[in-house]
Amino acid sequence: EFFVVCGSQGTIYTLISVPKDLPAQTIQLVSSKDKIKENLSLFKGLPTESKILKIMRQAYLGEYPDSYTISDFAASPENALEIKISHIGYEASLNARIRRTVKIEGEGLKLKEYQLNLLANDKDEIVRVKESDFLLPELTDQPVGIALDALNIKRGKNIRLFILEQENIDT
């Protein structure tokens, strides 16, 4: 049993270890309190609309502060959802794969990044989409912002969908 004191706040971590024949590993202990404080300082005094725009810009560029908690997902079939969008006069089937989630602790926000493409059985070569097409319960339940990196999905090409949502207390 180890008691490790970290940081200027003197946060104490208790580690219980069992000896095993494994290669040496480095373990980094990080308190989420520091992340919360840093995130709060990043958005201090900003109105909600400015927070949303700032986060969407970071997502589009793929440049996130270290204080965000990022989870990347493999582009595997189990992460794929088939979704249908419909406009006046046509309906299209899309494949939506979750690529990453980004939690902004302290702000109660979570960004989901999806990769979208046309399903092979869709007859259209190009489908025009808009953000409101993705207000679907399969993709989000408490959205505060939605953005696309393109409005036309061409066969064989991917576009990115960003959904910023209010995080549930229990997640």
Side-chain angles (χ1 to χ4, degrees):
E1 211 170 313
F2 298 94
F3 298 97
V4 182
V5 180
C6 296
S8 61
Q9 300 292 324
T11 304
I12 299 173
Y13 294 93
T14 304
L15 304 176
I16 300 172
S17 62
V18 178
K20 288 191 178 185
D21 189 18
L22 297 172
Q25 297 179 14
T26 301
I27 299 172
Q28 183 177 6
L29 303 174
V30 180
S31 170
S32 62
K33 281 193 247 180
D34 294 335
K35 285 185 171 188
I36 291 170
K37 284 181 186 177
E38 191 172 334
N39 288 338
L40 289 173
S41 71
L42 286 172
F43 296 103
K44 185 177 182 178
L46 288 179
T48 302
E49 294 81 9
S50 296
K51 289 178 187 181
I52 293 168
L53 288 173
K54 184 174 184 171
I55 295 166
M56 290 296 191
R57 188 176 305 112
Q58 292 168 339
Y60 182 78
L61 297 172
E63 298 174 354
Y64 300 105
D66 292 336
S67 58
Y68 292 4
T69 303
I70 301 170
S71 300
D72 288 314
F73 298 95
S76 56
E78 64 267 9
N79 289 334
L81 288 171
E82 182 179 331
I83 58 173
K84 291 194 183 300
I85 59 168
S86 52
H87 295 288
I88 298 171
Y90 78 89
E91 185 175 277
S93 296
L94 303 174
N95 188 25
R97 277 193 166 86
I98 185 87
R99 289 186 61 204
R100 127 181 350 119
T101 60
V102 180
K103 286 188 178 185
I104 302 132
E105 291 151 323
E107 289 294 328
L109 297 171
K110 177 170 69 174
L111 180 104
K112 294 178 183 177
E113 180 181 340
Y114 290 92
Q115 177 180 301
L116 302 174
N117 56 26
L118 289 173
L119 284 174
N121 63 355
D122 197 285
K123 63 185 181 302
D124 295 318
E125 288 296 316
I126 297 176
V127 173
R128 183 150 179 85
V129 293
K130 56 186 185 273
E131 286 85 356
S132 61
D133 293 334
F134 302 99
L135 290 170
L136 302 170
E138 304 95 331
L139 301 177
T140 184
D141 58 350
Q142 296 183 9
V144 294
I146 296 180
L148 292 159
D149 71 351
L151 296 177
N152 292 320
I153 303 177
K154 297 177 185 172
R155 181 163 311 287
K157 300 288 183 185
N158 298 321
I159 67 167
R160 296 182 301 162
L161 166 68
F162 304 101
I163 299 177
L164 184 62
E165 60 187 17
Q166 196 69 45
E167 193 164 27
N168 291 328
I169 295 171
D170 60 342
T171 58

